Amino acid sequence: MDGTFELAQERMDVLVFSGTFYAQTQPKIARSLAEAARRGVAIRLCFGDPNARSVETRDREEGLGGTLAAKIRSSLTYYRTLPELDGCEIRLHSTTLYASLFRYDDDLLVNPHAYGEPASANPTFHFRRLDGGTIAEHYMSSFERVWAEAVPWSGAEI
């Protein structure tokens, strides 16, 4: 990753539908997240619920041919053991996702979604939370709203 992942000291929050690239670019992602949790980093991962209508809609809008739910299930296999760890939570959401979010302490990567395009085809913006700033806080509040409605995932069902 770009260094923010390894440098996080307090929290890591991720909001995606499948986050396929996250696991594919980091084959030892579960081990890295477990190490972060052991050093006291609070980890919250929020994936799309593969059975949600919002996943079906996004799949159709992006022309994925019914594969988004399978991509989510595939991604979740990497994280099966993490819900057992203190400081690591995983939830499934059924919201309409307008942007994927990756928070590492006060650094926030925002990947806005353009209609009809997969997340990977869209830009990612790097924001930093600053006292009195509003952009990073705006997106962090969005994460909190989705997180509050998401359902805990135990790692058992995929």
Side-chain angles (χ1 to χ4, degrees), residues 17-137:
F17 264 130
S18 70
T20 307
F21 79 93
Y22 206 55
Q24 289 176 340
T25 60
Q26 298 294 311
K28 297 178 183 176
I29 187 71
R31 184 181 309 154
S32 296
L33 290 169
E35 289 171 6
R38 280 193 284 279
R39 66 175 195 266
V41 177
I43 297 169
R44 298 185 299 174
L45 308 176
C46 198
F47 294 90
D49 180 338
N51 299 311
R53 197 170 282 213
S54 58
V55 169
E56 182 181 315
T57 300
R58 179 58 57 89
D59 185 278
R60 185 180 65 255
E61 291 172 349
E62 292 182 8
L64 298 175
T67 62
L68 183 54
K71 289 169 100 176
I72 294 168
R73 287 183 179 95
S74 176
S75 288
L76 289 172
T77 63
Y78 289 90
Y79 308 101
R80 284 185 282 211
T81 60
L82 294 180
E84 303 167 2
L85 301 175
D86 288 338
C88 189
E89 295 180 75
I90 299 178
R91 294 186 184 181
L92 302 178
H93 70 85
S94 59
T95 61
T96 300
L97 193 58
Y98 300 106
S100 297
L101 306 176
F102 305 87
R103 177 183 181 182
Y104 309 99
D105 295 334
D106 289 333
D107 287 289
L108 183 66
L109 301 175
V110 177
N111 172 227
H113 301 171
Y115 181 83
E117 297 291 335
S120 61
N122 295 296
T124 299
F125 300 101
H126 185 171
F127 299 109
R128 182 150 177 75
R129 184 171 179 256
L130 302 172
D131 289 339
T134 59
I135 295 174
E137 199 60 48

